[in-house]
Amino acid sequence: MRGFMYWFSLLCLLLVGRTAMAQSSGLRLKAEDEAACKQWVDEQMASMTLKQKVGQLFIHTVAPITTQANRKNIEQAVTEYGIGGLLFSGGDIQKQIQLTNYAQGLASTPLLITFDGEWGLAMRLKGTPSFPRNRILGCIENDSLIYEYGREVARQCREIGVQVNFAPVADVDNNPKNPVINTRSFGALPQQVARKVIAYCRGLEDGGVLSVCKHFPGHGDTETDSHKSLPVLNFSRARLDSIELRPFREAVEAGVGGMMVGHLNVPALGKKPASISPEIINGVLKQELGFRGLVFTDALEMKGISGNEAVCAQALIAGNDMVLAPRNLKRELAGVMSALKTGTLTEAAVDEKCRKVLTYKYILGLAKRKEISGEGIGRRLNRPETEDLMNRLKRAAVTVIKNQDDMLPLDLSVSETALLSLSLTLTEDYPFYRQLREVFPVTWIRANVDSLESIRRRLNPVQQVIIAIHTSKVAPYESLINQLAADKPVVLVCFDSSKTLEKLKDTMQKASAVVLAHTDVSDVQRYVADVLLGQQKADGRLSVPLAGLFPAGTGVTLDPDIPRHYCAKDLGMNPAVLSRLDSIALEGIEVGAYPGCHVLVLREGFPVYDKCFGKHTYEGNETVKEGDIYDLASLTKTTATLLAVMKLYDEGRFGLTDRISAYLPFLRGTNKADITIQDLLYHESGLPAYYPFYQEAVDLSSCKGGLFRKRPDAHHRIQVEPNLYACTDFSYKPEWVSRVPSADYPLQVAENLYIKKEFRQVVLDKIAEMPLKGRSYRYSCLNFILLKELVEAVSGTPMDVYLDSVFYKPMGLTHTAFQPLKRFKKEQIVPTVNEDFLRGGRLQGFVHDEAAAFLGGVSGNAGLFSSAHDVARICQLLLDRGVCGNKRYLTRATCDLFLKAKSKNSRRGLGFDKPNPDNPDKSPCAAEAPASVFGHTGFTGTCAWADPDNDIVFVFLCNRIYPRPFDRKNLMKYDIRTRMQQVIYQALTNLAE
């Protein structure tokens, strides 16, 4: 791993005349800069006395207070003793900046300003961003986030004039009784600690701040605090090499710039405490490990070392380059000068160390004096990007410790789910509840020690319980939650530290799932709710062991983009045969039938085949993923409108032979007055197949040469049929359409295109007045536009709202919606077309169907967007005769009627399309599909078919009309969907193949 951040060590070695390994990094200086560096260092050295050179090796600790006494302290340290650097203790940021500028102004040689910021500036300074502790960050799998964190801390350090951060802690946290390291370490696994240390150091140093790994050779496995006394690590060399030394060794190999030596007694490495041991610093660190960066002592005022005489002299003799925070600066400087006189410390050694320190100062930018501005410092430090990074770190640390029987993601179809919150106030746990409640119904109960028996009774009938812990005071509730975990499926979510979970060992053993969130900040609460709902990824791993039950490294990955796998053979299907679907799906991409697709097959409700292929677009790089959302087009008829019709019929709100005009008064007295609801469902109303309602909103006089022409010209650029081109520079009638939203134009048709609600009446009036063409079968979207009006008239609720409350949310359909951009990010939605003549751009999240679009995106014939899994769940609901999870949505009788009924005049069922066994060549299904199959297809390239005889669901979603609809016929030409369905039945019949 050598080579990515050696800018400190490389120049240091070059300038002191030693041989260095070729290394590189983010802040490499060019050759001319190396010469300038050497010249600057030589000039500084030439101007110094020996005492001043010694002073450069000292870092003095001061408080950031602006009293006269403190200023005098700084002045004396800088001007009289010539110190090389300052370390500020905790306090106020503005005062630290003032004192930094003051001290730098006094110094003839610029000071190295150091900082002890293990979790950012907030470790010492009030009002600054506070990042998670290392124990939490150690749970993160993505090391690039740790790098980003280091880079941000470096930025903040530079903002306040800091060049050195005494971080990260590279100790291995393998002793739970350690009183001082614990949460400061990245964890208990040496290899994981090493990874995090290197990522953080790289970020810090690429940001222009020296990182300092501590506390060499390892302070993890001790029960003594070196601030109070000297810890002893009485381990063999082999043990030290495999655990304590490993993170430091790998950091050295990676080129880390700084190292801090701890006050530790390690007999296997040296006789003296490590921070004053030549055997450990010169021997192990420099000679064995090959470290060539700056070596710092830990604070020499600590009781673990401060009792040693002339401790600073001993530290420099041992191999340290800089001594940190001696208790008595004057006395310790004198001790070093005395060592020089006696020869125990040579002048050549002081020169080498001083030159090294000065070289680092040059590299870190101190040769150019710059005053630090305190103006707007709070804003400069607390940027939105910083807040976003802190949130991303916290989310990435979320760890699913246990997931027995795939409890997570939650089965959202299970009714009677309860959330039991252990918190001090209601507001603490509200974000978690609210996020859950957005998707599915959940009963919220806040635990109260005075009503435990009442809570037991309330929870007795529920099917599953989520226990959310927001407090460390859990003892009063242990009996209750233990019993719950023993009696029913329980998800235990801890929004507190892992220490709280350690108190609940029995509950963890009994719970179906355990999630450690570390913190209960609102953003994390919402994120964890989404993890439980299968909408967000969790891949954290425990950084330390937990309660003797779960070792470090434990964690379950939940990824909404990676499906659960079930054995097809166990469900009566041949997986080898099913794998042939791969080649058909890839063939479709190769012949340009679609840029990508999602193919899903369920058997008995379980996915036996679930794969995504290709990309969102031919030209892009976004691959198709599990949760991608597609424009379902006419599949809306069966996944939306028909569900609502079935439910209202189920409730006895109308009969199938009722006249539609009885519910839609605008049809009375017209030639549509006698049309029945059944006629609409069978497509036997006599209504035309299509009508261009959008033309009522277009100013046709603005279309030069008409709205369509047979040949392209300057005004007709977009081809819509083989010999037909559409006008692209027309205008809309301002009485209907606007380019900006307002109270008058509230319905969005596309980007920057809005329409009045009243346009709906124009559509309905056109339907009322148009002629009928007999009452034989003619497939027409207009039938389902009227059925949507029926649903709203009878239910008294907009159809999208009705479906969301009655079906989608209770069923846990988290990727299904009309007007999807109101709920989902655009990136989650697959583009439908690249350029639409009517709306002037790409359609991504706006329905393609023109009638549905000009009705505001909610129509009975089109407008629903969904994912393959949600569509399959709707199909399975119907196969299970109205039951999803443990809740009934439709009666069996209603399901049987709608699924089995078939028109005498066509292959059509009641709203559903069906196979055509009498004429297989014209059937929408494979010849092998039994007559009982029901489903539908969609113009955009979608289909969903359910087989009651074999309990099979087949869902295929693609955007076949991308980038333009008129010539995208290869999906049908190559029979992609029917051939896939054929393979499914071959897998069923050829089980032994």
Side-chain angles (χ1 to χ4, degrees), residues 391-676:
N391 286 335
R392 286 187 286 123
L393 288 166
K394 292 169 187 173
R395 293 178 211 145
V398 171
T399 304
V400 179
I401 301 170
K402 180 181 180 182
N403 191 25
Q404 186 174 301
D405 298 327
D406 286 334
M407 179 72 183
L408 300 177
L410 293 168
D411 183 349
L412 303 184
S413 63
V414 173
S415 62
E416 296 297 325
T417 298
L419 168 63
L420 176 64
S421 297
L422 277 59
S423 62
L424 299 179
T425 67
L426 276 173
T427 54
E428 281 183 320
D429 42 18
Y430 182 69
F432 184 55
Y433 163 71
R434 182 175 180 180
Q435 194 75 2
L436 291 171
R437 190 68 183 83
E438 282 289 314
V439 175
F440 81 123
V442 58
T443 301
W444 186 21
I445 302 171
R446 181 169 167 265
N448 188 311
V449 292
D450 297 325
S451 55
L452 295 182
E453 192 54 43
S454 173
I455 293 172
R456 287 182 204 272
R457 290 194 300 270
R458 288 185 65 187
L459 290 173
N460 190 52
V462 303
Q463 302 296 311
Q464 57 188 9
V465 181
I466 304 165
I467 300 175
I469 301 170
H470 298 260
T471 174
S472 60
K473 299 175 182 178
V474 293
Y477 309 105
E478 280 191 72
S479 175
L480 171 65
I481 62 178
N482 278 343
Q483 190 60 51
L484 285 172
D487 291 346
K488 57 190 67 192
V490 161
V491 179
L492 185 65
V493 181
C494 182
F495 290 108
D496 204 68
S497 76
S498 57
K499 293 291 185 183
T500 298
L501 278 181
E502 288 180 353
K503 303 172 186 177
L504 300 171
K505 184 173 181 178
D506 289 345
T507 306
M508 286 196 292
Q509 286 180 304
K510 296 170 185 174
S512 300
V514 181
V515 180
L516 176 59
H518 305 284
T519 174
D520 72 346
V521 296
S522 297
D523 182 81
V524 171
Q525 288 194 49
R526 290 189 291 268
Y527 188 83
V528 172
D530 285 341
V531 168
L532 267 57
L533 297 169
Q535 297 181 3
Q536 290 288 359
K537 179 179 180 178
D539 64 353
R541 298 292 185 268
L542 286 179
S543 58
V544 293
L546 180 60
L549 297 175
F550 306 104
T554 297
V556 178
T557 296
L558 296 181
D559 189 344
D561 293 329
I562 300 176
R564 295 179 182 177
H565 294 283
Y566 296 87
C567 180
K569 192 169 185 180
D570 291 343
L571 293 161
M573 301 189 79
N574 189 324
V577 176
L578 279 174
S579 67
R580 298 174 193 167
L581 293 172
D582 292 12
S583 59
I584 300 175
L586 293 170
E587 177 191 345
I589 295 172
E590 186 176 343
V591 301
Y594 42 77
C597 66
H598 187 174
V599 187
L600 175 62
V601 181
L602 306 187
R603 180 81 198 281
E604 298 176 10
F606 297 100
V608 292
Y609 185 93
D610 184 6
K611 290 188 180 182
C612 299
F613 299 88
K615 300 182 294 184
H616 283 193
T617 65
Y618 292 103
E619 69 279 6
N621 296 315
E622 185 69 28
T623 57
V624 177
K625 299 183 292 297
E626 280 290 300
D628 285 346
I629 298 168
Y630 285 82
D631 181 346
L632 297 186
S634 283
L635 197 52
T636 299
K637 294 179 173 70
T638 54
T639 52
T641 314
L642 192 55
L643 283 181
V645 169
M646 292 173 71
K647 183 65 175 178
L648 294 170
Y649 171 84
D650 205 24
E651 294 173 347
R653 310 288 289 275
F654 54 72
L656 296 183
T657 56
D658 289 355
R659 294 175 179 177
I660 189 69
S661 59
Y663 305 94
L664 305 180
F666 69 90
L667 295 178
R668 296 171 192 169
T670 71
N671 57 354
K672 320 309 184 293
D674 294 334
I675 295 175
T676 67

Side-chain angles (χ1 to χ4, degrees), residues 156-410:
Q156 293 181 23
C157 286
R158 301 294 293 192
E159 287 281 7
I160 65 170
V162 167
Q163 296 85 39
V164 178
N165 188 16
F166 292 129
V169 169
D171 304 315
V172 178
D173 181 20
N174 54 350
N175 188 336
K177 295 181 180 180
N178 190 310
V180 65
I181 299 302
N182 49 70
T183 61
R184 298 164 64 196
S185 165
F186 282 116
L189 301 174
Q191 67 273 24
Q192 296 297 325
V193 173
R195 278 176 43 204
K196 299 294 183 290
V197 163
I198 292 167
Y200 179 82
C201 290
R202 183 180 182 184
L204 204 63
E205 296 192 0
D206 282 356
V209 170
L210 180 67
S211 66
V212 181
C213 293
K214 60 187 185 184
H215 308 83
F216 185 83
H219 199 331
D221 196 355
T222 173
E223 297 175 19
T224 303
D225 183 350
S226 56
H227 292 84
K228 300 177 180 179
S229 60
L230 184 67
V232 178
L233 281 79
N234 202 12
F235 304 119
S236 69
R237 179 60 193 265
R239 148 67 195 254
L240 292 167
D241 280 336
S242 63
I243 297 179
E244 279 77 12
L245 286 171
R246 180 169 177 177
F248 295 100
R249 180 188 302 110
E250 293 191 19
V252 170
E253 291 173 356
V256 65
M259 194 71 65
M260 177 179 284
V261 185
H263 308 314
L264 305 162
N265 182 2
V266 192
L269 300 181
K271 296 176 182 178
K272 290 184 175 182
S275 53
I276 57 173
S277 168
E279 295 168 286
I280 292 176
I281 300 173
N282 282 327
V284 178
L285 179 60
K286 293 185 176 181
Q287 293 177 21
E288 289 188 32
L289 302 188
F291 182 66
R292 297 293 180 266
L294 267 185
V295 184
F296 301 82
T297 67
D298 203 347
L300 293 173
E301 61 188 1
M302 295 164 61
K303 292 181 180 179
I305 197 68
S306 60
N308 286 268
E309 187 176 348
V311 67
C312 288
Q314 290 192 62
L316 293 173
I317 293 167
N320 291 288
D321 298 306
M322 299 194 83
V323 291
L324 176 61
R327 182 171 291 176
N328 187 312
L329 187 58
K330 181 179 180 180
R331 185 181 63 206
E332 292 299 333
L333 278 165
V336 174
M337 296 305 295
S338 176
L340 283 165
K341 287 180 182 179
T342 62
T344 52
L345 177 64
T346 67
E347 188 172 335
V350 169
D351 277 354
E352 181 180 333
K353 295 176 192 294
C354 183
R355 181 174 290 275
K356 195 186 219 185
V357 169
L358 291 170
T359 300
Y360 274 89
K361 288 185 177 184
Y362 185 92
I363 295 171
L364 292 166
L366 286 171
K368 296 178 181 179
R369 303 274 183 157
K370 179 183 177 183
E371 185 163 297
I372 306 303
S373 172
E375 185 177 351
I377 189 63
R379 172 181 47 79
R380 282 157 37 209
L381 294 178
N382 294 280
R383 302 185 308 168
E385 297 90 340
T386 305
E387 179 72 21
D388 176 68
L389 174 60
M390 289 192 293
N391 286 335
R392 286 187 286 123
L393 288 166
K394 292 169 187 173
R395 293 178 211 145
V398 171
T399 304
V400 179
I401 301 170
K402 180 181 180 182
N403 191 25
Q404 186 174 301
D405 298 327
D406 286 334
M407 179 72 183
L408 300 177
L410 293 168

Side-chain angles (χ1 to χ4, degrees), residues 896-910:
D896 284 342
L897 172 63
F898 277 79
L899 301 186
K900 294 178 180 179
K902 181 181 177 298
S903 170
K904 296 177 182 178
N905 303 314
S906 73
R907 69 173 191 254
R908 292 279 171 173
L910 282 171

